[in-house]
Amino acid sequence: MFQVRAYEPKDREGFGHVRSRVYRGGDPVRPDESILRDDSTGYVVEVDGQIVGAATVLEMTCSRMGELHRCAGVAAVAVLPEWRGSGAGSALMRGLIPLMREAGFLVSSLHPFRDTWYRRFGYVGVGMRLDIRCPADRLPNLAVELPIREIEAERYELLEPVCQAFAQHYNGYNIRTSDQWWRTLGGDSPMAVYLCGDPVEAYAIIRLKGDFWVDQEIREFQWSTERGYRSMLAFFKTLAMNKSAVKWMEPGDSPYFAEFFDRGASVELLGPVMFRLLDA
């Protein structure tokens, strides 16, 4: 009944219709709008020539014991509302697996909406992400051991050695392409990028908030040394001077939770990324 295949130019209208109904609140895809990024491939599930669902696979990497492998990042899995419950979504995911393998991907990853649903197709949750919220008056009093400076978002190459260190330490890490860095750093509305050390030993990507007594969120925080971590944590305290709290994420072996957690702060376990082996 269902057929799953790679996106073709003739599928633009049907693919765009699915994306419009599921992810854009009904807003149509404009004729001049790019429907797929250069680092992605679209897939559709159709019935009698009608596209009823779609998904996007991003070209990513997955670190394992310091080595990088091709990883298919599954995103924007969607089925038209009137076709939900028909098995179209399950057919799409089952059909994707051999197609991703044929495309040369060794593993696949995704951020699930429902973990239990994606387990049906061989995906399992791995690792931990901790969501940390620390009130301004509970941040540790640390010395800034390395000078903090701000750089323009276009100079993301200064951050890459820290990312390489994370990839050596944490399996599953994606080394970003230039386009992926551009999106991570805010796209056409660049975020603030702060780093410490020369060469860089830690960095933070931040959308600065101008309001008082709100939570200041850190988009991304990574480090390659202990003093880099401590220096950036000390910088968070200066960011929090007119804010209620600072929020950021750390891996499961969180230095903050192990060394600096204080009453009043909270650490929440977020849903882990899910991975599936495609080619042993």
Side-chain angles (χ1 to χ4, degrees), residues 5 13 18 22 24 31 53 60 75 86 91 103 120 128 136 148 169:
R5 57 176 177 78
E13 182 177 353
V18 173
V22 178
R24 299 168 63 111
M60 302 177 70
S86 68
R120 302 177 188 176
M128 291 190 295
I148 305 292
H169 188 72

Side-chain angles (χ1 to χ4, degrees), residues 69-95:
H69 305 288
R70 286 188 70 203
C71 176
V74 178
V77 178
V79 173
L80 291 174
E82 64 269 28
W83 280 90
R84 293 172 188 169
S86 68
S90 296
L92 177 59
M93 288 305 301
R94 290 193 181 98

Side-chain angles (χ1 to χ4, degrees), residues 139-148 162 166 194-197 200-204 221-239 246 248 250 254-261:
L139 284 162
N141 293 313
L142 297 171
V144 179
E145 302 173 51
L146 297 168
I148 305 292
V162 178
F166 254 55
Y194 293 93
L195 46 80
C196 62
V200 180
E201 297 182 30
Y203 72 83
F221 172 30
Q222 293 190 9
W223 59 92
S224 58
T225 66
E226 291 184 9
R227 67 175 183 173
Y229 177 89
R230 292 192 300 268
S231 295
M232 196 56 71
L233 202 61
F235 176 62
F236 289 176
K237 191 172 182 67
T238 67
L239 286 177
V246 178
W248 71 94
E250 293 188 9
S254 163
Y256 173 81
F257 187 69
E259 301 179 46
F260 304 111
F261 180 83

Side-chain angles (χ1 to χ4, degrees), residues 149-168:
R149 68 185 190 275
E150 183 180 5
I151 63 168
E152 296 179 348
E154 292 81 2
R155 301 186 64 196
Y156 63 82
E157 74 278 358
L158 296 175
L159 315 180
E160 290 182 326
V162 178
C163 296
Q164 294 285 349
F166 254 55
Q168 290 287 327

